[in-house]
Amino acid sequence: MSELPRLVLAREHLQLGLTPKQLAARCRAGALTRIRHGVYVDGPAWAALSEWEKYRLGVSAAAETFVAPTVFARHSAASVWGIPTIGYGRPIYALTLKNDGGRSRAGVKRHYARFAGLDVVERDGLLVTGRIRTVLDLAAYTPFTQAVVPVDHILKADTTRGLAPVSKEELLFAVEGNYTAAAAQRIRAAVEFGDPRSGSAGESYGRALMWAAGFEAPALQYEIRDRSGRVSFSDYFWAEGRVAGEFDGVVKYMKPEYLKGRTASQAVVDEKRREDRMRAAGFSVVRWVWQDLMSPARLESALSAAGVPRRRARSARRRPE
């Protein structure tokens, strides 16, 4: 994530040399964008942000409007940690230590949490739940298909932020005493399914959708050699049917570490040639994009047409002696 634009606070209008009326006029002209009451940001800079970045900036904006110390949690804490989540338009999530039902207003949802055992960290000037607690909360209170995404992420090192990987054992150890039996069951399902080999949030979400649709779990980052011995790595692979699956996240055609000096158009051409080599080696290749993940029926139809195997019933997985 690039550096976020600075927030402009109405309460600091004297330091800014602007009156409240001037701030409002700049907002009407598009020079500023109002994020929350009394909190603005440069208009063009806001328009250039991704939805993920806008949400992250919204968390900081909310923090500027609260007087009492506030601990951000779930998707809001994840945005501060750089942990990917699925879906846009979510409220800001914060914790309350009073078990009175909490108060949710102005786009902020508050959830009760017991102070005992609560891991709180200051990061980027904000109070947030710790990485493990954040991921466990997401696994406990979001659908399985979405919960797999943050779990996969935390199982590998975050080299961009210098954060070490967390093991499945560490995640499961932190469940005890902090969740109901039902929530703990949901967490275990997501953690057990988690895989650090997943290459991106889109790959994680796609894998979870496949499983929910009844397909066999694929091998990840599978090495494929063509007849000349040239190696390619497929995002997904199913040995039964010899099917390779590829998720086309647009971001990878923009990241310098992926492009390696190539233009985006050259990267697309190279991907096509790589796919041709896989087909020539006798593999079927099925490819999908984010829009397909947002419509799981389309993904399921593509996988079925490519011959991706369905899971066998539990009673059929072992032949009788």
Side-chain angles (χ1 to χ4, degrees):
M1 179 185 293
S2 57
E3 186 174 348
L4 296 174
R6 183 176 65 89
L7 294 176
V8 177
L9 307 178
R11 68 171 182 266
E12 295 177 352
H13 66 276
L14 294 178
Q15 295 92 322
L16 296 170
L18 296 169
T19 66
K21 286 186 177 180
Q22 288 173 321
L23 281 172
R26 291 195 176 190
C27 191
R28 287 194 299 272
L32 293 176
T33 294
R34 180 179 178 272
I35 304 178
R36 294 183 68 83
H37 178 71
V39 185
Y40 303 83
V41 69
D42 179 82
W46 173 263
L49 296 177
S50 67
E51 293 299 322
W52 170 259
E53 290 169 325
K54 287 178 180 179
Y55 181 79
R56 168 64 186 84
L57 197 61
V59 175
S60 289
E64 292 289 355
T65 66
F66 300 150
V67 177
T70 300
V71 179
F72 293 97
R74 301 191 189 184
H75 299 78
S76 301
S79 74
V80 177
W81 283 110
I83 297 170
T85 56
I86 299 298
Y88 299 132
R90 295 189 180 279
I92 304 298
Y93 291 96
L95 298 182
T96 177
L97 303 181
K98 295 182 178 180
N99 192 12
D100 57 1
R103 291 184 177 181
S104 299
R105 62 181 183 180
V108 178
K109 294 195 70 171
R110 295 184 180 272
H111 299 274
Y112 170 70
R114 293 186 299 110
F115 182 75
L118 182 62
D119 178 26
V120 177
V121 177
E122 183 176 340
R123 186 170 179 84
D124 296 345
L126 302 171
L127 296 178
V128 297
T129 50
R131 286 174 77 213
I132 290 178
R133 178 61 183 255
T134 299
V135 170
L136 293 182
D137 282 353
L138 290 168
Y141 304 117
T142 62
F144 169 81
T145 53
Q146 297 180 19
V148 169
V149 175
V151 169
D152 278 359
H153 176 85
I154 203 173
L155 291 176
K156 54 180 178 284
D158 186 336
T159 54
T160 301
R161 297 170 180 80
L163 300 172
V166 174
S167 69
K168 291 186 177 184
E169 291 73 21
E170 289 176 284
L171 288 171
L172 294 176
F173 180 79
V175 174
E176 190 66 31
N178 291 315
Y179 298 92
T180 65
Q185 186 177 26
R186 291 192 293 271
I187 291 171
R188 281 192 292 271
V191 171
E192 289 169 3
F193 189 77
D195 194 323
R197 294 173 297 176
S198 179
S200 68
E203 290 182 25
S204 296
Y205 187 45
R207 189 174 95 262
L209 288 173
M210 295 171 201
W211 182 259
F215 292 101
E216 284 284 357
L220 302 183
Q221 311 307 326
Y222 188 82
E223 179 182 296
I224 294 177
R225 293 181 179 271
D226 62 20
R227 294 171 185 174
S228 65
R230 199 169 181 181
V231 175
S232 294
F233 287 90
S234 176
D235 295 336
Y236 311 89
F237 182 75
W238 292 268
E240 183 183 339
R242 292 171 64 82
V243 180
E246 294 288 312
F247 168 66
D248 251 350
V250 176
V251 174
K252 75 178 183 180
Y253 296 112
M254 300 165 58
K255 287 185 175 181
E257 60 268 31
Y258 178 84
L259 293 174
K260 297 179 181 178
R262 301 172 297 173
T263 64
S265 58
Q266 184 59 53
V268 172
V269 171
D270 289 347
E271 276 292 297
K272 179 63 170 61
R273 289 173 177 168
R274 186 172 70 91
E275 182 176 320
D276 288 343
R277 292 199 306 272
M278 290 183 186
R279 294 186 191 280
F283 299 97
S284 298
V285 180
V286 56
R287 188 179 292 271
W288 58 88
V289 296
W290 266 113
Q291 288 87 337
D292 298 313
L293 299 185
M294 295 300 103
S295 179
R298 282 165 51 181
L299 176 64
E300 182 175 359
S301 177
L303 295 174
S304 294
V308 173
R310 296 277 185 172
R311 291 199 307 275
R312 296 182 178 86
R314 183 166 58 180
S315 62
R317 290 175 193 170
R318 291 186 62 185
R319 294 180 180 275
E321 300 296 335

